[in-house]
Amino acid sequence: PFLCFLAAMPAGGLDHREGERLEAHYAAAKRQAMDWHGIAEEEWSYNLLVTRDWWMLVPRSRDSFGPIGINSMGFAGTFLLRTNEELDFVTRQANPMDILANVAIKMEK
């Protein structure tokens, strides 16, 4: 339901050359998202998830939904809540994907 870029990490980890390639992939994904959606550099906001096997870049339209801030952990399946008000807000939502879709950039059909 939202724009994201996903890429595999190199088998065997990152050496200097692979690190540079990963940085180039990130830059290309960032540029593509900014161009597609008319996002200026100073407005660029995103969440980045990195594992040993893959990485995912999620451009976002805002950094919070209601009273809760959404960081990369939200896109990994964990909302970090500090108050009962935040917990009540999350439990009133239809599902967690709705929360993520409200901070991410919607996928155009």
Side-chain angles (χ1 to χ4, degrees), residues 17-28:
R17 189 180 78 246
E18 294 293 340
E20 288 175 352
R21 208 163 82 196
L22 180 62
E23 183 178 6
H25 283 293
Y26 163 79

Side-chain angles (χ1 to χ4, degrees), residues 2-107:
F2 49 81
L3 181 67
C4 65
F5 298 88
L6 183 65
M9 293 293 270
L14 295 174
D15 60 19
H16 179 71
R17 189 180 78 246
E18 294 293 340
E20 288 175 352
R21 208 163 82 196
L22 180 62
E23 183 178 6
H25 283 293
Y26 163 79
K30 174 183 174 183
R31 178 59 41 211
Q32 191 172 28
M34 291 173 69
D35 289 349
W36 283 355
H37 296 280
I39 302 168
E41 182 72 38
E42 61 274 5
E43 297 170 352
W44 174 246
S45 179
Y46 65 96
N47 289 113
L48 180 66
L49 291 88
V50 179
T51 74
R52 291 183 180 135
D53 300 319
W54 53 266
W55 64 273
M56 183 171 74
L57 176 71
V58 182
R60 60 185 185 181
S61 59
R62 56 186 169 167
D63 64 0
S64 63
F65 179 59
I68 60 172
I70 305 298
N71 60 24
S72 295
M73 290 301 297
F75 289 91
T78 301
F79 295 121
L80 305 175
L81 307 174
R82 296 171 292 190
T83 66
N84 284 335
E85 175 192 23
E86 292 176 347
L87 178 60
D88 291 343
F89 178 82
V90 169
T91 57
R92 286 192 311 267
Q93 304 309 306
N95 66 60
M97 192 61 75
D98 290 342
I99 295 171
L100 300 178
N102 272 285
V103 298
I105 295 174
K106 294 190 182 355
M107 184 68 112

